[in-house]
Amino acid sequence: MSDSYFEFGTAADRWDRARMFFEAKEYMSAARILEGLVEEVPEQVSPRLLLARAYYHSARLGRAETQLRVILERDPVEPYARLMLGRTLERQGRSAEASGHLRMAAAFSGDFDAGRTGRG
């Protein structure tokens, strides 16, 4: 597919297209669209969070981590970003670093038992 396909349409059109690709498990295509959206509207959490998820599912864990950290810099109590960061760090073999994020995510969701074990 040409780059123009990924850039075509309004931001809403591209958001819908990115979600369609994500739901179809075409994570690389979703990420290509979402990268442009995140550049265009960097303050919006939803495109950045979906981009992080697309990176996570396509095993681009460093990129996922970067996006999740940007979200958490802006909103330290964003529970799903906190959970995703913990899972991303676990997949990178950084369990000690992941455990704090997973405990916080559990606390934000009210699941204090999961926070004690580090697993949600």
Side-chain angles (χ1 to χ4, degrees):
M1 284 182 225
S2 70
D3 283 338
S4 62
Y5 176 77
F6 294 101
E7 299 165 357
F8 178 76
T10 66
D13 293 337
R14 287 177 281 137
W15 171 246
D16 289 342
R17 192 175 313 119
R19 288 181 27 217
M20 177 193 69
F21 277 116
F22 186 88
E23 290 169 9
K25 299 183 181 181
E26 295 287 336
Y27 303 117
M28 300 288 276
S29 296
R32 285 182 67 185
I33 297 166
L34 291 162
E35 287 165 353
L37 280 174
V38 165
E39 282 183 30
E40 189 175 323
V41 288
E43 70 283 354
Q44 290 190 2
V45 172
S46 295
R48 191 177 298 275
L49 189 54
L50 191 59
L51 177 58
R53 291 176 64 201
Y55 285 152
Y56 177 86
H57 287 297
S58 60
R60 294 187 287 176
L61 302 176
R63 290 181 179 200
E65 179 183 350
T66 298
Q67 294 303 319
L68 293 164
R69 289 190 186 278
V70 169
I71 292 168
L72 291 170
E73 283 175 18
R74 295 177 182 172
D75 184 2
V77 296
E78 206 311 313
Y80 193 70
R82 188 67 65 183
L83 175 66
M84 282 294 304
L85 180 57
R87 296 290 183 237
T88 299
L89 293 169
E90 278 185 331
R91 277 186 72 185
Q92 294 179 72
R94 295 160 58 190
S95 297
E97 190 178 349
S99 66
H101 295 287
L102 295 172
R103 280 193 305 273
M104 281 190 271
F108 294 151
S109 71
D111 188 1
F112 298 105
D113 290 331
R116 278 193 283 261
T117 63
R119 301 298 298 180

